[in-house]
Amino acid sequence: MKIYIKLSKAESQQWASIKGAVIGQGSMSDGEFAKIMLFRGLNGFMDDLNKAMDEMSDQEKQDILQEAGVEPEVELEIPVAEEDENTQSSDA
């Protein structure tokens, strides 16, 4: 996936200043730096979202998930057969 961002001259200068302040004289491309900044921003966003969800009541969570079209989770209990001591195979 490619994302293109058109920056004005002033924004380009600000970008270069921020990049220089963060990586110094390192050799990182604008694309690599943008990826790092994008994912750090997404991680921060997800942290904020998770915190907000933790503070919601169960009813508020259900309402939001329903509005977003997310199906409710279904919990299934799958029985596991217990091994019988007499049915264990031997390597002899």
Side-chain angles (χ1 to χ4, degrees):
M1 176 171 71
K2 290 186 179 185
I3 298 173
Y4 294 94
I5 301 172
K6 186 174 181 175
L7 302 175
S8 68
K9 185 175 180 179
E11 291 168 335
S12 294
Q13 290 171 341
Q14 291 171 341
W15 174 263
S17 295
I18 292 170
K19 182 181 169 191
V22 173
I23 65 168
Q25 298 299 320
S27 59
M28 182 183 291
S29 72
D30 280 343
E32 290 171 334
F33 183 66
K35 240 190 279 189
I36 290 168
M37 297 299 288
L38 173 70
F39 286 114
R40 290 192 90 172
L42 288 174
N43 286 336
F45 172 78
M46 291 304 297
D47 290 344
D48 292 346
L49 183 61
N50 287 330
K51 182 180 175 187
M53 290 291 288
D54 288 342
E55 295 172 357
M56 288 182 184
S57 69
D58 288 340
Q59 183 60 45
E60 288 173 315
K61 289 177 189 177
Q62 289 175 359
D63 293 345
I64 288 173
L65 292 174
Q66 184 178 12
E67 187 176 321
V70 176
E71 295 291 324
E73 291 184 13
V74 177
E75 292 186 27
L76 298 176
E77 192 170 315
I78 300 172
V80 177
E82 294 183 21
E83 288 188 33
D84 185 10
E85 291 179 22
N86 297 331
T87 60
Q88 292 179 352
S89 62
S90 63
D91 294 331

